[in-house]
Amino acid sequence: MSISQQKHKILVVDDVKENRSIVKNILTLCNYEVQSASNGLEALQIVKTDNFDLILLDIMMPKMGGIEVCRYLKIDPETANLPVIFLTANTDKELLAKAYKVGGSDFIKKPFYKEELIARVQTRIKLRDYEKNLEETVRQRTQEIYETQTQLMYVLGGIVEGHSKETKEHVQRVTYFTYKLAILSGMSQEEANLLKDASSLHDIGKLGVADNILHKSGKLTKSEFKQMQQHPTLGANMLKHSKLPLFKAARIVAQEHHEKYDGSGYPKGLKGEDIHIYGRIVAIADVFDALSFKRSYKDGWNIEEILSFMKDMKGKHFDPRLIDIFLDNIEHFLKIYNINIEKIELDKKHNLKKKNSIVNWLMKWDI
């Protein structure tokens, strides 16, 4: 249901019962949903339990006056954007100045005309709807931009895979492992998602490495390895001109995922926490997956060999805190690994089945 189709909710706050009844009756006839409160404290409790589009607030009330209520509403992020129209018999300039200063949107003088009340409420509700629609539009556009960035990341990651003969599944697994380790390390959901997507470009710099080096089946020479060591810098340079948060994170990952905790990594020889946490997390995810699978230059290791190696690399290659978290929660990572392997096998079966269906169709028509 769109905002314009929803029944708008209004809270009327006044210590005089007759006043509340009059306002409620008028607005209910105009198809608004109206609740009421007899004092400021009650009003603050009610707004925590429901979403309102407008508050009509008496200024002069016992216990807690309208100006104080409005001040509380405006400092709370949940209600800061909720419009407030003051109802008051006191039109003293200083009082009204205070009312506007604490965040009041408008005021209606008591006693009021029915037509004036309706007109002021309708105007404020329309403005509120416009603000909501604008906020939703901005949110949608922001989400679309982020999704476009993410899709572009994976497209670029796919180009890297084709160039370096690393599998699509490797990149996907690295993103899954990265996200899980980020969450377990205490990173927020939002930042962990950012890092997950950014990690898909950890090897983007390999686009700048010669094919004969990337595809070499044997051990690299010193000269070839030196060229291979340039790919983090090449990747960072490819991404350095973008100011988008996702690409900024990807640049950090590309540049620092081969740095080692003891300072023996490359390209800068960064040490300890001088290595960005993004680089330290992706380093663990990348190595764990790289050791698990066969590459052109090596066979895959078994899980016991991998875990033994990674434990030995604590404080050397890997951040001690992060590798402890990884090893203490290894069942979560193995679960991702197993599910991913199953998905690969299912995809292969699906592709084979689709291929066989095409062959059968061709044979049926004697083509």
Side-chain angles (χ1 to χ4, degrees), residues 315-349:
K316 300 173 185 176
H317 191 148
F318 305 124
D319 180 320
R321 183 181 77 89
L322 291 175
I323 198 63
D324 279 345
I325 293 171
F326 177 82
L327 295 172
D328 289 344
N329 294 276
I330 191 61
E331 70 278 2
H332 294 289
F333 298 94
L334 292 177
K335 184 177 179 182
I336 293 170
Y337 173 88
N338 290 333
I339 289 172
N340 195 274
I341 295 300
E342 290 172 7
K343 182 180 180 299
I344 294 169
E345 294 302 319
L346 285 172
D347 287 344
K348 287 179 180 177
K349 289 178 182 177

Side-chain angles (χ1 to χ4, degrees), residues 177-329:
F177 296 143
T178 294
Y179 173 78
K180 177 57 71 173
L181 183 54
I183 290 293
L184 289 171
S185 70
M187 191 174 288
S188 71
Q189 186 86 39
E190 183 180 1
E191 189 174 13
N193 276 320
L194 177 76
L195 179 56
K196 173 181 180 289
D197 294 329
S199 68
S200 66
L201 290 188
H202 65 282
D203 276 337
I204 186 68
K206 286 184 177 179
L207 290 173
V209 178
D211 286 355
N212 65 306
I213 295 175
L214 287 175
H215 303 162
K216 187 174 180 178
S217 57
K219 186 177 180 180
L220 298 178
T221 66
K222 287 184 178 180
S223 174
E224 289 170 339
F225 185 62
K226 191 173 182 180
Q227 291 182 56
M228 178 66 84
Q229 286 181 309
Q230 295 302 310
H231 83 267
T233 302
L234 291 171
N237 288 338
M238 290 175 188
L239 300 166
K240 70 180 181 180
H241 298 295
S242 177
K243 295 181 180 180
L244 297 172
L246 196 51
F247 282 86
K248 283 184 176 180
R251 181 174 184 266
I252 294 169
V253 169
Q255 187 162 41
E256 299 189 14
H257 73 287
H258 280 296
E259 299 288 356
K260 295 182 180 180
Y261 200 78
D262 64 1
S264 64
Y266 62 89
K268 293 186 175 181
L270 299 178
K271 188 175 182 179
E273 294 191 4
D274 287 340
I275 306 167
H276 197 287
I277 188 154
Y278 292 177
R280 285 179 274 146
I281 287 175
V282 175
I284 293 173
D286 187 33
V287 170
F288 178 63
D289 190 72
L291 294 177
S292 302
F293 287 85
K294 184 177 180 179
R295 295 284 178 89
S296 60
Y297 53 87
K298 72 166 189 68
D299 291 325
W301 295 12
N302 65 47
I303 191 63
E304 289 78 14
E305 292 173 327
I306 295 169
L307 297 183
S308 176
F309 170 80
M310 298 190 79
K311 187 175 182 180
D312 287 343
M313 290 297 103
K314 175 180 176 179
K316 300 173 185 176
H317 191 148
F318 305 124
D319 180 320
R321 183 181 77 89
L322 291 175
I323 198 63
D324 279 345
I325 293 171
F326 177 82
L327 295 172
D328 289 344
N329 294 276

